[in-house]
Amino acid sequence: MTFEIIMALQIITKEDLDEFREKLLNDLKELMTKPADTPVKYLKSYQVKNMLKISSATLLTLREKGIICYTKIGGTFYYKQEDIVKMLESKQKSTVRDH
């Protein structure tokens, strides 16, 4: 049994490398001049409970059911402020619909 290995040969020219270099430099310039995104602000559990007006048990349930995202560092839970604001907004919308 004979096996043939066919290799595709691709030639890269100096012009190809120059074009790549120019594109790379332009991309880097764009990244460096682009304004930095606003930093993510995190809240601790007590802050989230106060904002949502919920108990520790309710916050635990929200975490366990995956309704609220969190990060745990050491023994402390942190929540993205934008996620909590979205929850508040959706809670207000549902309250308005219920009345």
Side-chain angles (χ1 to χ4, degrees):
M1 192 182 294
T2 306
F3 293 98
E4 288 184 34
I5 299 175
I6 302 174
M7 295 177 53
L9 182 62
Q10 212 172 29
I11 298 174
I12 299 174
T13 65
K14 182 180 181 316
E15 288 79 24
D16 293 333
L17 290 174
D18 286 339
E19 184 180 324
F20 174 74
R21 183 180 61 83
E22 284 298 318
K23 184 174 180 341
L24 182 60
L25 286 173
N26 287 333
D27 289 347
L28 288 172
K29 285 178 189 175
E30 184 180 329
L31 284 173
M32 292 177 76
T33 58
K34 188 177 177 182
D37 293 336
T38 56
V40 177
K41 181 170 181 183
Y42 288 91
L43 302 172
K44 291 185 176 182
S45 293
Y46 78 91
Q47 294 168 309
V48 173
K49 291 188 298 185
N50 288 338
M51 286 179 75
L52 298 177
K53 295 181 176 42
I54 59 174
S55 67
S56 296
T58 301
L59 185 56
L60 173 64
T61 301
L62 292 174
R63 282 196 313 261
E64 288 175 341
K65 290 186 175 185
I67 296 171
I68 192 168
C69 297
Y70 64 92
T71 300
K72 185 177 181 183
I73 301 173
T76 306
F77 292 96
Y78 295 94
Y79 310 84
K80 286 184 183 176
Q81 183 177 17
E82 70 180 57
D83 291 344
I84 305 306
V85 170
K86 286 178 187 174
M87 283 188 73
L88 276 172
E89 289 171 350
S90 67
K91 185 178 176 182
Q92 288 173 348
K93 288 178 185 175
S94 66
T95 304
V96 170
R97 286 188 206 131
D98 293 343
H99 286 85

